[in-house]
Amino acid sequence: MVKNWQSVLSRVRVALMRRGRTRHDADDLVQEAWIRLACQEQQQVITSPEAFLMRIALNLSIDEFRNARNHGEQVLIEDLVLVDTRPSAESTLLARERLTRLSECLAQLDTRTRRIFLAHRVDGMSYLEIAREQRLSISSVEKYVAKATLVITRSMEGW
């Protein structure tokens, strides 16, 4: 008799797995169905317990699918892989050193060149806007930005 139940439980598990359940989930559903069958047999006589077990397991599977669809899939915390996206201490230190170096490069520029360069590169002003504000030609603004870019590029080489 035990061998017969093992084959029934195996068929139910296979049926659940064919419907997309993992082996672990199928085993859980079979166990829950078996408990419900045992409880129901205490209240009334079941004429076809094998079919009853299969129907309970399939219904439980459908209920779990609907639950997951309506409430979102539950994930165990052990199954999560957390990734720290913060930069490493080394990257942070290197960035600070580069920023210090850039500040030194900007300090090498005369006040007007630095102001024009920062207005264009940091504040996002166009050459025309800077030219109007500084009362210069657009060509002069282009030359100031080019000069600053050249000084900074040369000073930052290797960083």
Side-chain angles (χ1 to χ4, degrees), residues 1-15 23 26-27 30-31 34 37 49-50 53-54:
M1 187 80 170
V2 171
K3 195 171 190 180
N4 185 25
W5 274 113
Q6 285 179 342
S7 93
V8 170
L9 296 176
S10 178
R11 283 195 307 270
V12 172
R13 182 182 310 108
V14 168
R23 181 169 181 84
D27 286 340
V30 168
Q31 182 178 6
W34 177 261
L37 172 65
E50 296 89 353
L53 183 70
M54 180 69 80

Side-chain angles (χ1 to χ4, degrees), residues 107-127:
Q108 293 174 11
L109 301 173
D110 63 88
T111 306
R112 188 173 212 178
T113 304
R114 182 175 47 252
R115 189 177 326 121
I116 291 171
F117 178 77
L118 292 175
H120 178 65
R121 296 300 295 246
V122 176
D123 298 334
M125 293 176 67
S126 69
Y127 290 154

Side-chain angles (χ1 to χ4, degrees), residues 12-26:
V12 172
R13 182 182 310 108
V14 168
L16 291 168
M17 289 169 58
R18 271 188 277 146
R19 286 170 174 79
R21 294 294 176 182
T22 65
R23 181 169 181 84
H24 177 73
D25 289 344

